[in-house]
Amino acid sequence: MYRPGHYGASLVAYAPVGFVAIALGGVELALAGGAVAVAGAMVPDWDQRVPFVRHRGPTHTVWFTLLVGGVLAVAGALLGSAAGFAGAVVLGAFGFVVGHLLADVLTPMGIRPFGPLRDDTYTLDVAKAANPIANYALLALGVAASVVAVGAGGAVAGVLGL
């Protein structure tokens, strides 16, 4: 997928996490995490700028997901409080990395999430990465999921008195 599709997929992946954060009274945490998710949506595609690294290679694996999540968790812990900035960074890291992998699995090229340990390629072969309709539809889905998550999370927080 291209940039709009990755933004949308990151929002879709992050929406349930944002819902829980809002439902538990962490509105600022949820919004900051969503911002991190969108801001980092294209990080796995930085592999295209690195010589001798195959696109959708190491940066499109669960190992990279764990690495980015770990690095951002440490950075967040060093830069902010455990409940504030650090939490937002960790939540956002989940959204952008998982969302990116989900977007790329929709394309015919797919991903090899367990490489180099396993060469299995996973694809749903829904649309080509360059398909503008698919990219903007995924963006619209991500925005809609976010709006629903915010509204539902706010309603639950209200019921819980948070």
Side-chain angles (χ1 to χ4, degrees), residues 79-122:
L79 296 174
S81 71
F85 181 75
V89 168
V90 171
L91 296 179
F94 169 84
F96 81 73
V97 178
V98 171
H100 193 100
L101 297 180
L102 291 176
D104 284 343
V105 83
L106 296 173
T107 67
M109 185 177 175
I111 60 170
R112 293 178 40 240
F114 303 107
L117 300 180
R118 294 181 53 168
D119 284 336
D120 302 344
T121 298
Y122 295 88

Side-chain angles (χ1 to χ4, degrees), residues 117-162:
L117 300 180
R118 294 181 53 168
D119 284 336
D120 302 344
T121 298
Y122 295 88
T123 178
L124 296 175
D125 198 6
V126 173
K128 293 190 182 296
N131 183 326
I133 294 171
N135 277 283
Y136 285 103
L138 194 52
L139 177 60
L141 179 64
V143 169
S146 298
V147 168
V148 169
V150 168
V156 169
V159 168
L160 296 175
L162 300 176

Side-chain angles (χ1 to χ4, degrees), residues 54-55 75 96:
R54 185 174 65 85
H55 179 52
F96 81 73

Side-chain angles (χ1 to χ4, degrees), residues 17-30:
V17 176
F19 162 78
V20 170
I22 291 170
L24 296 175
V27 175
E28 294 84 6
L29 175 68

Side-chain angles (χ1 to χ4, degrees), residues 35-78:
V36 170
V38 171
M42 297 302 294
V43 167
D45 279 348
W46 289 355
D47 62 358
Q48 296 179 65
R49 298 177 183 169
V50 180
F52 309 111
V53 175
R54 185 174 65 85
H55 179 52
R56 293 197 188 181
T59 62
H60 287 69
T61 64
V62 295
W63 321 122
F64 183 74
T65 302
L66 295 172
L67 174 68
V68 169
V71 167
L72 290 177
V74 169
L78 293 174

